[in-house]
Amino acid sequence: MVAMSEAQRVLGTKRLSRCTLYTNVEPCAMCCYCIRETRTRKVVYAIRSPIMGVHSRWKVLQDKEISGAIPEVFGRVPEIAGAVMREEAEAVWRDWHPMIWRIITFRGCFGGVAQAPAEVPRREGFFRRLTLLHR
């Protein structure tokens, strides 16, 4: 949202219909409504977010009904390119903070599907599980 706001300021227009937004993680719902409002032409992201992502889960970016219902506010469906340089983006997250990266991916927030709760040892305490995740 900050990048879109700055682009509007620099370009002197509210519409970003000739712009492409690049992001390391799939945009969330709040960002996607801004993407649709600014009429951003294309969205490119690296890492899927099946729990919070609007392309994977909520389908806000590709929803044509939004444009038809309130065309004064929401622009057409943007072009979407996902998993662009995914491995490189994941390496940046993993290098930045390995434990946080393992927790996020273990819970299924980024990348694949969350692991079943039964796979987490139930008798062990929270800190023991964190230690196991960090390995």
Side-chain angles (χ1 to χ4, degrees):
M1 289 173 29
V2 173
M4 289 181 281
S5 180
E6 183 64 11
Q8 289 173 319
R9 187 188 68 73
V10 169
L11 296 172
T13 181
K14 290 184 180 185
R15 292 191 178 202
L16 303 176
S17 56
R18 299 176 75 190
C19 297
T20 300
L21 176 68
Y22 294 89
T23 180
N24 59 351
V25 177
E26 180 179 350
C28 70
M30 187 168 58
C31 291
C32 283
Y33 280 103
C34 294
I35 290 167
R36 296 296 299 270
E37 283 185 90
T38 61
R39 291 161 165 72
T40 301
R41 181 181 61 85
K42 184 175 183 178
V43 177
V44 178
Y45 66 87
I47 304 171
R48 285 182 61 241
S49 181
I51 301 293
M52 301 171 290
V54 223
H55 181 235
S56 299
R57 172 123 190 217
W58 305 109
K59 314 291 186 219
V60 173
L61 282 180
Q62 61 266 50
D63 187 342
K64 293 178 182 173
E65 285 186 45
I66 293 173
S67 303
I70 313 172
E72 301 82 11
V73 177
F74 296 113
R76 63 180 174 77
V77 173
E79 184 180 338
I80 304 164
V84 175
M85 297 182 70
R86 179 187 55 80
E87 291 176 0
E88 293 86 348
E90 288 177 350
V92 169
W93 274 83
R94 195 172 38 253
D95 293 346
W96 170 70
H97 202 300
M99 182 179 281
I100 295 298
W101 174 251
R102 284 183 164 239
I103 292 169
I104 289 171
T105 55
F106 177 77
R107 291 183 178 168
C109 296
F110 291 169
V113 180
Q115 294 181 16
E119 295 177 26
V120 177
R122 303 300 284 174
R123 293 192 313 252
E124 297 182 27
F126 174 74
F127 291 106
R128 173 77 175 131
R129 283 184 287 180
L130 272 179
T131 305
L132 290 172
L133 282 173
H134 187 59
R135 289 187 198 157

